[in-house]
């Protein structure tokens, strides 16, 4: 309706031109003339023109209405009148003029429609291209954020892989101080009986073994946590890589769509392209999904950073505890070595005193034995005198002073010999005690020297292989 009104308001120029030319020219003779609408006059009977011309001309302008036509046989050619002939010609020209006018109107309307359609199509195509360009920019922006997130999570995976190797190295290194302490305890178990004492050194070594075992269990749990965190990081990375790949493909597709135009050689008919697949997302769900992927990756990365900081704290505390315990073990070892060396030195000095006293006792025994032999002659002399005086006869056998003196002498000599023998026995007992003490001292010195050998030669040698703090840290 709008097109028709526009055509009425703005008629075709060609039609107007033809109309003006027709008005200016005089009506030709083959068009209806003035008076053709009046009734025809009766011309009378028809002249004879031949035996074949029978009939009478009785047509009128109303012949087409009344149905009365002139008689016509097979020889007659006068079926219509001139006015009807001119009206008939005018009818054809009028119909042609109307058809031409309609064709010109249709041509003008078609041109206007084509121009409007092409203009609207171009405008809509430009708008669609702008929408595609905006969408491509959105995809590119998300792709850049995914690039940064992927780079960050890849770096985190590399760092966490290094931490896992570090923990594995620490687990292999932590066996060294544990084996050192365990072997040292086994060596100290070979000490002789009197030195099998649970001293401070053994307590510190036991604590060191327990501490190493505790740290090893803690590192094993941390390694398991790192491996689980690596699995989460790789899963998040795979999810982001899939989304990143989809965005790369979508960006390429939209970029190609932006580059397309009406003259592109590879555009084709795609009848089913206007369908909406059921699995398509909306812009809101698209943004929500992308943000969720980025948020999940960042959350996993932050957990990994927290785990690494926790691992650093574990290393700091563990290394401090190990080094402090190693220092306590070294101090206890040095103290025990000094104590053992001191007591060994005192035992050697005591052994020297014992040997000196033993030599003096042996000399005393020899002297006592010599003194008892010296009293034997005096006893023999006194007894011989008494025996000789017993030979006196009769009244001469008198209990005189010499008799009592000789008896007292024998008695005194006997008491002195008994006292000397008692001293000799005591000296011999003392000698036996000194010999036993010497043996005990020598054995104890051997015990202490073996302990010194274990603590100083073997123990300090083992402790010299104790790993450094850098090695214990897994570097």
């Amino acid at each position: 309706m709008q097109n028709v009104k526009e055509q009425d308001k703005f008629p075709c120029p060609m039609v107007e031109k033809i109309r003006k030319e027709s008005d200016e020219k005089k009506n030709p003779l083959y068009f209806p003339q003035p008076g053709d609408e009046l009734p025809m006059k009766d011309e009378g009977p028809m002249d004879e023109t031949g035996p074949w011309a029978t009939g009478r001309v009785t047509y009128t302008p109303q012949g087409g209405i009344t149905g009365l036509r002139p008689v016509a046989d097979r020889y007659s050619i006068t079926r219509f009148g001139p006015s009807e002939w001119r009206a008939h010609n005018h009818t054809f020209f009028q119909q042609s003029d109307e058809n031409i006018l309609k064709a010109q109107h249709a041509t003008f309307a078609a041109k206007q429609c084509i121009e409007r359609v092409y203009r609207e199509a171009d405008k809509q195509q430009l708008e669609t291209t702008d929408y595609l360009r905006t969408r491509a920019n959105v995809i590119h922006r998300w792709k850049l954020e995914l690039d940064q997130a992927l780079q960050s999570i890849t770096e985190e995976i590399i760092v966490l892989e290094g931490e896992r190797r570090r923990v594995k190295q620490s687990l292999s290194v932590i066996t060294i101080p544990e084996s050192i302490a365990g072997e040292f305890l086994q060596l100290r178990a070979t000490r002789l009986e009197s030195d099998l004492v649970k001293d401070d050194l053994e307590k510190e070594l036991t604590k060191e073994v327990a501490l190493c075992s505790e740290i090893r269990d803690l590192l094993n749990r941390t390694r398991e946590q790192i491996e689980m965190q690596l699995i989460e990081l790789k899963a998040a990375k795979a999810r982001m890589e899939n989304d990143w790949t989809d965005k790369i493909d979508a960006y390429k597709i939209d970029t190609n769509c932006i580059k397309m135009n009406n003259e592109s050689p590879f555009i084709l008919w795609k009848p089913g392209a206007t369908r909406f697949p059921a699995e398509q997302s909306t812009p809101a769900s698209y943004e929500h999904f992308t943000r969720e992927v980025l948020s999940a990756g960042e959350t996993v990365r932050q957990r990994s950073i927290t785990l690494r900081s926790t691992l650093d704290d574990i290393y700091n505390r563990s290394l401090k505890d190990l080094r402090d315990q190693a220092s306590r073990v070294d101090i206890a070892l040095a103290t025990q070595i000094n104590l053992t060396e001191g007591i060994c030195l005192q035992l050697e000095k005591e052994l020297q005193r014992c040997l000196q006293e033993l030599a003096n006792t042996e000399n005393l025994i020899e002297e006592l034995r010599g003194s008892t032999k010296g009293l034997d002659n005096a006893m023999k002399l006194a007894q011989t005198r008494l025996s000789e005086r017993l030979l006196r006869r009769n009244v001469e056998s008198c209990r005189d002073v010499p008799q009592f003196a000789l008896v007292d002498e024998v008695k005194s000599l006997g008491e002195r010999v008994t006292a000397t023998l008692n001293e000799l026995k005591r000296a011999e007992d003392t000698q036996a005690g000194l010999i036993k003490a010497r043996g005990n001292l020598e054995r104890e010195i051997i015990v202490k020297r073996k302990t010194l050998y274990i603590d100083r030669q073997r123990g300090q040698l083992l402790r010299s292989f104790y790993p450094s703090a850098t090695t214990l840290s897994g570097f």
Side-chain angles (χ1 to χ4, degrees):
M1 291 299 293
Q2 185 177 0
N3 295 336
V4 174
K5 290 180 180 180
E6 290 178 357
Q7 292 173 7
D8 294 341
K9 188 181 292 186
F10 304 101
C12 181
M14 294 297 297
V15 174
E16 293 296 326
K17 185 177 180 181
I18 292 172
R19 283 180 179 176
K20 289 181 181 179
E21 290 178 356
S22 298
D23 293 340
E24 292 175 357
K25 290 183 180 180
K26 193 176 181 180
N27 290 336
L29 296 178
Y30 49 80
F31 279 173
Q33 300 296 318
D36 285 347
E37 67 276 3
L38 300 176
M40 294 293 296
K41 296 180 180 180
D42 189 4
E43 296 179 358
M46 188 177 182
D47 294 335
E48 294 184 359
T49 58
W52 59 83
T54 61
R56 184 179 180 80
V57 179
T58 58
Y59 61 85
T60 61
Q62 290 79 22
I65 299 174
T66 61
L68 299 176
R69 309 301 298 167
V71 178
D73 56 15
R74 61 180 179 174
Y75 301 107
S76 177
I77 59 172
T78 57
R79 300 182 63 183
F80 301 98
S83 60
E84 289 181 324
W85 180 73
R86 287 191 296 270
H88 178 72
N89 292 338
H90 183 266
T91 301
F92 275 100
F93 277 96
Q94 188 177 8
Q95 289 178 354
S96 176
D97 190 17
E98 291 177 357
N99 289 330
I100 290 172
L101 182 62
K102 289 180 180 179
Q104 289 177 348
H105 276 291
T107 302
F108 179 76
K111 289 182 179 179
Q112 292 290 328
C113 180
I114 290 172
E115 183 180 354
R116 184 180 68 256
V117 167
Y118 271 72
R119 184 173 61 253
E120 292 177 355
D122 290 340
K123 180 181 178 182
Q124 190 172 13
Q125 190 178 83
L126 289 175
E127 291 178 354
T128 306
T129 303
D130 290 337
Y131 292 150
L132 285 172
R133 188 174 288 108
T134 303
R135 183 61 181 173
N137 291 333
V138 171
I139 295 174
H140 184 68
R141 179 173 61 84
W142 287 118
K143 184 181 73 68
L144 289 179
E145 291 191 13
L146 282 172
D147 284 336
Q148 295 176 357
L150 279 172
Q151 183 178 1
S152 299
I153 204 168
T154 302
E155 292 175 355
E156 184 62 29
I157 288 174
I158 293 173
V159 174
L160 199 59
E161 286 283 355
E163 293 296 334
R164 183 177 66 172
R165 290 192 297 270
R166 179 186 177 188
V167 171
K168 286 185 177 180
Q169 182 67 23
S170 297
L171 283 172
S172 62
V173 172
I174 199 68
T175 57
I176 297 176
E178 187 176 9
S179 61
I180 288 174
E183 186 175 354
F184 198 1
L185 285 173
Q186 291 178 358
L187 284 174
R188 286 178 62 82
T190 60
R191 291 175 296 171
L192 298 177
E193 292 80 2
S194 61
D195 270 11
L196 286 175
V197 181
K198 192 173 181 64
D199 50 10
D200 292 337
L201 176 58
E202 187 169 349
K203 292 179 182 178
E204 296 299 333
L205 286 172
T206 305
K207 289 180 182 179
E208 188 174 39
V209 172
L211 181 61
C212 291
S213 178
E214 183 180 352
I215 292 175
R216 185 180 64 252
D217 295 338
L218 181 59
L219 290 178
N220 279 324
R221 291 195 300 270
T222 306
R223 179 178 57 83
E224 293 176 357
Q225 292 177 2
I226 289 175
E227 290 175 352
M228 292 298 297
Q229 190 64 43
L230 279 173
I231 292 174
E232 291 183 4
L233 283 171
K234 290 178 181 179
K237 181 184 176 184
R239 188 179 179 186
M240 284 194 290
E241 284 177 345
N242 290 333
D243 193 18
W244 180 81
T245 304
D246 294 341
K247 283 178 172 51
I248 286 289
D249 295 338
Y251 182 74
K252 288 182 180 178
I253 291 171
D254 286 349
T255 304
N256 292 332
C257 290
I258 292 170
K259 294 178 181 178
M260 289 181 187
N261 53 37
N262 295 332
E263 304 300 327
S264 298
F266 45 83
I267 56 176
L268 298 172
W269 292 105
K270 305 288 184 179
T274 57
R275 70 185 187 278
F276 288 94
E279 67 275 6
Q280 273 189 332
S281 62
T282 62
S285 63
Y286 169 86
E287 184 175 356
H288 175 73
F289 176 79
T290 306
R291 289 184 182 278
E292 184 181 1
V293 170
L294 289 171
S295 176
E298 182 63 22
T299 302
V300 173
R301 192 176 73 88
Q302 290 298 327
R303 283 204 300 268
S304 177
I305 293 173
T306 304
L307 179 60
R308 287 194 293 109
S309 63
T310 304
L311 180 60
D312 290 336
D313 293 338
I314 290 173
Y315 269 115
N316 292 331
R317 292 196 306 268
S318 300
L319 285 178
K320 184 177 182 302
D321 293 341
L322 277 176
R323 295 308 305 175
D324 291 344
Q325 184 61 33
S327 299
R328 286 193 290 269
V329 170
D330 292 337
I331 292 171
L333 178 59
T335 304
Q336 191 64 32
I337 288 174
N338 291 332
L339 288 175
T340 307
E341 286 179 344
I343 194 172
C344 186
L345 182 61
Q346 293 298 325
L347 286 173
E348 289 176 352
K349 291 180 178 180
E350 192 66 23
L351 179 60
Q352 290 179 358
R353 289 180 62 246
C354 184
L355 291 175
Q356 184 65 38
E357 193 63 30
L358 182 60
N360 295 333
T361 304
E362 289 178 351
N363 293 331
L364 178 61
I365 290 172
E366 292 295 329
E367 184 179 352
L368 289 172
R369 286 176 181 173
S371 65
T372 55
K373 291 180 180 178
L375 291 175
D376 287 344
N377 293 328
M379 179 65 73
K380 289 178 182 179
L381 176 61
Q383 289 179 359
T384 302
R385 285 176 177 177
L386 285 173
S387 177
E388 288 294 330
R389 292 194 72 191
L390 288 175
L391 295 177
R392 290 176 303 168
R393 293 187 296 272
N394 299 320
V395 75
E396 291 298 326
S397 178
C398 181
R399 295 179 184 176
D400 51 7
V401 174
Q403 182 72 27
F404 285 105
L406 287 173
V407 171
D408 289 336
E409 184 180 3
V410 170
K411 185 179 178 181
S412 297
L413 287 174
E415 290 176 357
R416 290 188 181 93
V417 170
T418 302
T420 304
L421 290 176
N422 288 333
E423 292 297 328
L424 178 61
K425 185 177 183 304
R426 185 183 299 174
E428 290 176 348
D429 293 339
T430 303
Q431 182 187 20
L434 288 173
I435 292 172
K436 184 178 181 181
R438 182 190 64 183
N440 292 334
L441 287 172
E442 289 175 349
R443 188 175 183 283
E444 192 65 23
I445 289 172
I446 292 172
V447 170
K448 295 298 184 288
R449 285 179 177 176
K450 184 173 183 180
T451 302
L452 276 175
Y453 171 76
I454 291 173
D455 290 344
R456 184 168 55 191
Q457 302 297 328
R458 301 293 300 278
Q460 287 186 339
L461 180 63
L462 279 175
R463 300 300 295 180
S464 66
F465 292 101
Y466 198 92
S468 63
T470 304
T471 307
L472 288 171
S473 299
F475 295 111

